[in-house]
Amino acid sequence: MQTTLDSSFVERLKQILANRYGKGLQIRQLMDLSDISDADEVFTRGRDLHIPIRVNGNFLGTAVVPSADDLNSEKRSGVAQLVRMVLEPAMYKWYLDQKEANLEELNKVQPNLENVRLFGESLPSIDDILNEDSPALTESPANELVSHLIHFEGRSENNNKKVALQLHELTGRWAFVPFNDIKGQLHSSMDIARLGGMTIFVENVENLNPSEQELLMEYISEDHLADEPLIVTSSLKNLDELGSVSSLDPKLVDELSVNCFEVDRAPLTAQGLKEVLELFFLKDSPTNA
């Protein structure tokens, strides 16, 4: 198979199969399916479950779940559905198209590219990213968050931003963009949503004017897909101060308090911080279901 299958999606799939069904997964090159009456159908050979992978009428290979003969019909169907959902290139192509659309939208709002981060690195140019080999086009948010609004409070702007970037990278989002760079082109919740699976960083949230607050409130009051923007806010002030001495709408302060993280209490090690962010802000994974 193509090396693109060596991705976080495949590794995640292996984890889910191992934890939910106690089974492994192998990806094999195209095999001879001439003896199968309907090559779209899942079939067994020996004890193994074979799941053909098909794209636009062409068979690219087979996912094999070894020693699956002890699974009942319902579980086999569940395994096949899960495997195809992750591996079928049709879904991969959808993600690819989605990222291309996201990048085009970002190009329209013309942010300061020096402030944009793509998986933690500076973003050189829109043209470079639109190259189909760019990792930005083959990734989508890898972990589902508890909310599309997360707030960091701490006494250092630098540390607040570092933790925001750590969360951004942990979730596998495709770009990290300061709100100040794009706010002039955002006029509705829809404008934000169509930017796709990126992180929008609102530094010093108490500086938002009333219209900007209203825009963010509109966005976070709605339900959003996992591949729509995450809003990360930060402040040197604690929640009490934001509520009493800032001009923030009390309703926005209430929203910030729901998923607020005190950066100054965070573990000092990178691994410790990663584990705490996962615990606080990532939903239970399917492997724990």
Side-chain angles (χ1 to χ4, degrees), residues 82-99:
L82 181 62
V83 167
R84 280 178 162 162
M85 181 180 68
V86 176
L87 296 184
E88 283 184 354
M91 178 169 285
Y92 170 81
K93 184 179 184 300
W94 184 90
Y95 281 120
L96 181 62
D97 291 343
Q98 181 67 34
K99 296 311 169 193

Side-chain angles (χ1 to χ4, degrees), residues 33-48:
L33 299 178
S34 59
D35 57 336
I36 305 299
S37 59
D38 188 344
D40 275 338
E41 294 298 319
V42 174
F43 63 95
T44 58
R45 279 188 173 168
R47 299 183 59 196
D48 301 339

Side-chain angles (χ1 to χ4, degrees), residues 191-289:
D191 289 341
I192 298 176
R194 64 163 59 101
L195 290 175
M198 69 189 309
T199 301
I200 299 176
F201 182 53
V202 184
E203 193 168 23
N204 298 317
V205 65
E206 64 272 18
N207 294 334
L208 292 175
N209 64 40
S211 63
E212 292 165 353
Q213 294 179 45
E214 184 178 354
L215 174 63
L216 292 186
M217 284 291 291
E218 178 189 358
Y219 178 73
I220 62 180
S221 67
E222 301 169 351
D223 292 330
H224 293 285
L225 301 174
D227 60 353
E228 292 178 343
L230 163 67
I231 307 295
V232 176
T233 60
S234 74
S235 178
L236 303 182
K237 302 178 184 297
N238 61 38
L239 290 173
D240 289 338
E241 292 173 322
L242 288 178
S244 61
V245 302
S246 76
S247 60
L248 288 183
D249 187 316
K251 292 181 180 179
L252 179 55
V253 176
D254 287 343
E255 292 290 345
L256 298 178
S257 69
V258 174
N259 290 292
C260 176
F261 185 77
E262 297 181 42
V263 172
D264 297 330
R265 295 188 180 184
L268 297 178
T269 66
Q271 181 60 30
L273 176 60
K274 175 178 179 292
E275 291 173 355
V276 168
L277 290 175
E278 287 178 336
L279 179 64
F280 272 67
F281 301 122
L282 299 188
K283 291 184 178 180
D284 290 339
S285 69
T287 60
N288 295 327

Side-chain angles (χ1 to χ4, degrees), residues 73-85:
S73 176
E74 182 179 358
K75 288 185 177 180
R76 284 180 162 195
S77 177
V79 168
Q81 182 178 18
L82 181 62
V83 167
R84 280 178 162 162
M85 181 180 68

